Amino acid sequence: MDKRLELFQSKIRIKDIAERANVSIGTVDRVLHNRGEVSKETKALIHKIIEDLEYKPNVIASALAMKKTFRIGLLLPLPTEKDSYWKLHLNGIENAVNEIS
């Protein structure tokens, strides 16, 4: 299978960008977070690769790396037997909580 196709079928990782740019993961991290010294040419190359691969940071992985806890609060009416509309929302939230756990 074509290596480019493999990358598009899976999540793009910082490691994939580093391999394509022939730089370290740390260099890609510095470019992504705009810190440290990186040459203009390397920075431009990494930004081009990020754009070409349509890289999107994994928010969950970032949160785990930061060891931060996020709390989300929701206010929903309790579903009744007559009006089951809100039951769908409640089920979706419960499924998401179970999936993350």
Side-chain angles (χ1 to χ4, degrees):
M1 183 182 291
D2 180 26
K3 186 162 180 110
R4 184 173 179 191
L5 183 59
E6 283 179 32
L7 284 174
F8 280 110
Q9 288 178 337
S10 64
K11 295 266 186 196
I12 304 302
R13 303 168 302 164
I14 291 176
K15 182 178 180 180
D16 301 320
I17 297 167
E19 286 176 1
R20 284 183 168 251
N22 198 28
V23 297
S24 71
I25 294 170
T27 300
V28 176
D29 183 73
R30 284 192 297 278
V31 170
L32 286 173
H33 298 101
N34 198 25
R35 61 178 169 228
E37 295 296 319
V38 180
S39 73
K40 288 180 184 179
E41 296 83 14
T42 301
K43 196 180 286 191
L45 175 62
I46 291 171
H47 281 297
K48 171 104 174 75
I49 293 168
I50 288 169
E51 184 179 314
D52 290 347
L53 296 179
E54 297 177 11
Y55 170 77
K56 302 283 184 262
N58 182 328
V59 178
I60 294 173
S62 297
L64 287 172
M66 290 187 297
K67 298 181 181 178
K68 281 189 177 180
T69 302
F70 295 93
R71 295 186 190 273
I72 300 172
L74 299 168
L75 296 174
L76 297 175
L78 288 175
T80 62
E81 294 204 20
K82 289 182 181 178
D83 182 17
S84 62
Y85 175 78
W86 292 106
K87 181 72 175 161
L88 296 172
H89 296 77
L90 192 57
N91 288 343
I93 293 166
E94 288 171 351
N95 289 340
V97 167
N98 291 333
E99 190 175 311
I100 291 173
S101 296

